[in-house]
Amino acid sequence: MINQKTNILTIILLVIPCTLHALAQSESQLNLAPSFDTWTSLFLFVALQGLFVFIALFNLKGAQVQANRILAFLLLTFSIVIFSYVLYWTRYNQVFPYLNAWYHPLIFLSGTLFYLYIRNITTGKKLNRRDWFHFIIPLLIILGLTPLFIDNYLGERWLLTNKTLYLIFAIAINAYLKLTYLGVYLFLSYRHYYRANLRESYLKPWFNYLLWSYTGYYFTIVLYYALVNFSFFNVEWDYMISFAMSFFIFCVSFLGYIYPQVLAGKPLSNILLRHKYKNSGLTKRGEEELKNTLLKLMQEDQLFLHNDLSLDRLALEANTTRHNVSLVINKYFEKNFFDFINQFRIEFVKELFLRTECQGEHIIQLAYRAGFNNKVSFNKAFKKFTGQTPLSYKSENAL
């Protein structure tokens, strides 16, 4: 009988090394009165902020309605998870025991939602019936935790005395299962991002912010479950997972709510610069005139052919300030200075490819004639604006 109990305990510890640690923390808090402190109040505010952004995103209109709603539900899952943690830290989970453990399937669901959002934005692929496959694991987790939910609702503790049900519970909240599941979907998200042919390079900053913040969240969970097995682990360190989720919520809140154009596909860098220039003294008519002047300098005077062309020189030629030139390039052409100039240079190179007298020249020689200083910047700019390498483009389009 003793050996049988030992074997069962060993299996459970192998399945989830953190289960007993969490249960011990819960038992140690049973006799403490519920209360809030500075940190729990802050995290409660973040949870409410996430709920507010969820409502705003869910009702946001535009071309990316489905993607925005997927992102909204991701923020909602984070808000509920943070709220669940707040209940635990404040010991209000004793007052509302039926709210315990609901965050476990939501952690799995966050990986699915993040992947579907990245896939939707990078490929334009909408949700279909086959996508329900991605929700199988979270649904199985809910089924595995159903006895615990019933236990919490009834206020009984029969689950912990039933070895089979306890093993199912341990599997459902297994740390390795969480990390593997989230890791797989994070990998799939990166794969979609890098495989996407994003000619609209202005989307990259938005993707980078989301990928970096969610990656930080994932590795925070990895670090937590690695440290929880050491004797020096401090129970308050579990705040770091909530910090990571809070950062993701505020990242989307700042870039998506304050600058909603991001969620409509507008360039992030342009939006930030436009906000910077909102108090410019340049009138609407003055902006239009400067835009036409810049086009004349590029199209007729071909100022871009000068390889030492700078923002200051362009402003001098346009008889204005570099501040105004930056504003107009950003606002009307939705580019920064270098992209604005390089696009004209690339178009000039494409014209040279079609000229009979240029057929014998090496590609890099044509790039130098267009104003580029080196091969690396030319190749990078050409791929950015055409989606092809110079050699492949020339072989398909040249005479």
Side-chain angles (χ1 to χ4, degrees):
M1 185 67 177
I2 295 177
N3 291 334
Q4 183 180 4
K5 290 183 178 180
T6 303
N7 291 335
I8 294 174
L9 180 60
T10 302
I11 292 174
I12 293 174
L13 290 177
L14 288 174
V15 172
I16 177 166
C18 305
T19 302
L20 297 182
H21 175 80
L23 292 174
Q25 291 180 10
S26 300
E27 294 296 331
S28 65
Q29 295 184 349
L30 288 177
N31 297 323
L32 299 177
S35 64
F36 278 87
D37 58 18
T38 302
W39 288 115
T40 52
S41 300
L42 176 62
F43 285 124
L44 179 61
F45 169 78
V46 173
L48 295 175
Q49 171 74 9
L51 179 61
F52 175 77
V53 179
F54 160 75
I55 297 173
L57 279 177
F58 190 84
N59 292 288
L60 190 64
K61 306 299 182 181
Q64 300 179 8
V65 172
Q66 187 176 96
N68 290 337
R69 288 182 176 179
I70 295 173
L71 182 60
F73 278 110
L74 174 58
L75 295 182
L76 180 63
T77 61
F78 277 168
S79 296
I80 296 176
V81 172
I82 293 175
F83 179 74
S84 299
Y85 287 166
V86 170
L87 287 178
Y88 170 75
W89 293 324
T90 59
R91 295 175 295 279
Y92 274 99
N93 62 331
Q94 304 169 24
V95 181
F96 309 103
Y98 43 85
L99 297 179
N100 286 334
W102 281 99
Y103 67 90
H104 289 292
L106 294 178
I107 292 177
F108 288 88
L109 185 61
S110 70
T112 302
L113 293 173
F114 183 75
Y115 161 75
L116 292 176
Y117 175 76
I118 295 297
R119 190 194 70 175
N120 186 294
I121 293 296
T122 56
T123 67
K125 184 178 180 180
K126 304 298 183 181
L127 294 178
N128 53 59
R129 292 182 179 179
R130 291 191 298 178
D131 286 326
W132 285 108
F133 168 80
H134 297 290
F135 296 92
I136 290 179
I137 297 298
L139 289 175
L140 290 177
I141 298 301
I142 293 177
L143 291 176
L145 292 177
T146 298
L148 178 62
F149 298 147
I150 296 174
D151 178 24
N152 291 334
Y153 180 77
L154 297 176
E156 299 177 359
R157 307 305 298 173
W158 57 270
L159 173 67
L160 297 181
T161 61
N162 187 306
K163 298 179 178 61
T164 301
L165 292 177
Y166 185 81
L167 182 58
I168 295 175
F169 161 71
I171 294 174
I173 65 172
N174 174 254
Y176 301 124
L177 180 59
K178 287 180 183 177
L179 296 179
T180 301
Y181 185 87
L182 294 178
V184 168
Y185 275 94
L186 183 61
F187 168 77
L188 294 175
S189 300
Y190 270 99
R191 189 178 67 171
H192 271 296
Y193 172 66
Y194 285 114
R195 285 186 176 181
N197 185 16
L198 297 177
R199 295 186 181 182
E200 300 86 1
S201 58
Y202 58 77
L203 290 175
K204 290 184 179 179
W206 175 245
F207 285 128
N208 287 340
Y209 281 114
L210 290 183
L211 286 167
W212 291 342
S213 58
Y214 193 86
T215 302
Y217 161 69
Y218 173 73
F219 281 104
T220 299
I221 298 178
V222 173
L223 182 62
Y224 172 80
Y225 282 124
L227 294 178
V228 75
N229 294 294
F230 291 92
S231 58
F232 61 82
F233 180 80
N234 189 325
V235 64
E236 294 183 355
W237 290 0
D238 58 3
Y239 282 6
M240 62 185 180
I241 298 178
S242 293
F243 272 118
M245 289 186 289
S246 300
F247 180 82
F248 187 92
I249 290 175
F250 278 114
C251 178
V252 176
S253 301
F254 179 77
L255 298 174
Y257 179 70
I258 298 180
Y259 303 114
Q261 303 97 319
V262 173
L263 300 174
K266 296 295 183 181
L268 173 61
S269 57
N270 292 357
I271 294 167
L272 296 176
L273 286 173
R274 203 172 294 175
H275 180 73
K276 175 183 176 182
Y277 293 139
K278 67 179 181 179
N279 295 322
S280 172
L282 200 61
T283 64
K284 180 71 174 180
R285 181 177 179 180
E287 292 176 359
E288 292 283 353
E289 291 177 352
L290 181 54
K291 181 192 74 171
N292 295 331
T293 299
L294 293 177
L295 286 175
K296 178 181 179 297
L297 289 172
M298 294 297 111
Q299 295 172 345
E300 298 180 17
D301 301 341
Q302 294 187 322
L303 205 62
F304 60 84
L305 296 179
H306 298 276
N307 59 10
D308 61 345
L309 181 62
S310 63
L311 180 60
D312 288 325
R313 180 176 176 182
L314 182 59
L316 182 64
E317 294 287 342
N319 194 29
T320 186
T321 65
R322 57 178 293 154
H323 177 89
N324 290 339
V325 172
S326 294
L327 182 152
V328 171
I329 291 176
N330 168 253
K331 183 175 181 179
Y332 289 92
F333 301 100
E334 296 191 340
K335 295 179 179 65
N336 59 37
F337 168 75
F338 294 104
D339 284 345
F340 175 71
I341 300 301
N342 286 340
Q343 187 172 25
F344 286 99
R345 289 171 174 168
I346 295 301
E347 291 301 319
F348 186 76
V349 171
K350 289 162 64 177
E351 291 179 10
L352 295 179
F353 285 161
L354 300 176
R355 295 182 184 179
T356 305
E357 66 272 18
C358 297
Q359 297 305 305
E361 291 190 52
H362 195 277
I363 291 179
I364 191 59
Q365 292 177 309
L366 302 180
Y368 290 149
R369 288 177 58 181
F372 286 98
N373 287 312
N374 59 75
K375 183 177 180 180
V376 174
S377 60
F378 166 66
N379 288 336
K380 184 177 179 180
F382 199 96
K383 182 69 178 294
K384 182 176 186 177
F385 290 109
T386 67
Q388 295 178 273
T389 63
L391 184 61
S392 64
Y393 182 90
K394 182 180 180 181
S395 62
E396 293 179 7
N397 299 276
L399 297 174

